[in-house]
Amino acid sequence: MKNNHVELKGTLTRNIEVSRSQKGNSFTKFTLKCLRDDQGTRFDYVGCIAFGEIAEKLEIVGSSDTKFKIIGNLQTSSYKKDDQKIYSMNVVVESFELLNE
């Protein structure tokens, strides 16, 4: 059993576009708007990233306001900005499912 496991249901905030790394690998970064409460008034905006075949499939079906169930894992990364180390956390997509809710 994996300890680092994430399942999210949410709505895309924009159309998905695939980019290519310098080595030619495909990837996409997107944001999933996830409902936080039962009243429908509070949301979390979760950064997600997908690679390869999953990224390409997401681009085909992923337009703004599309509802998805995302399964993946959390990944932390860091970069330097103005001599300060900045940390971020994203969900790396392992699989997804279109929702008709």
Side-chain angles (χ1 to χ4, degrees), residues 3 11 22 28 40 42 51 90 95:
N3 289 325
T11 305
Q22 291 178 348
T28 186
R42 296 178 59 195
F51 300 96
N90 290 295
S95 64

Side-chain angles (χ1 to χ4, degrees), residues 50-93:
F51 300 96
E53 188 178 323
I54 293 173
E56 311 232 354
K57 287 180 181 178
L58 278 165
E59 183 179 39
I60 293 168
V61 297
S63 57
S64 184
D65 295 329
T66 303
K67 291 181 177 18
F68 282 108
K69 176 181 177 183
I70 299 289
I71 297 172
N73 61 76
L74 288 175
Q75 185 177 73
T76 345
S77 60
S78 64
Y79 59 94
K80 281 203 172 200
K81 182 177 181 181
D82 300 328
D83 291 329
Q84 199 170 27
K85 199 165 193 176
I86 309 293
Y87 293 92
S88 66
M89 187 175 292
N90 290 295
V91 174
V92 177
V93 179

Side-chain angles (χ1 to χ4, degrees), residues 24-37:
N25 300 322
S26 57
F27 71 94
T28 186
K29 292 181 178 184
F30 60 94
T31 302
L32 201 63
K33 178 182 173 184
C34 301
L35 184 61
R36 183 188 288 190
D37 62 14

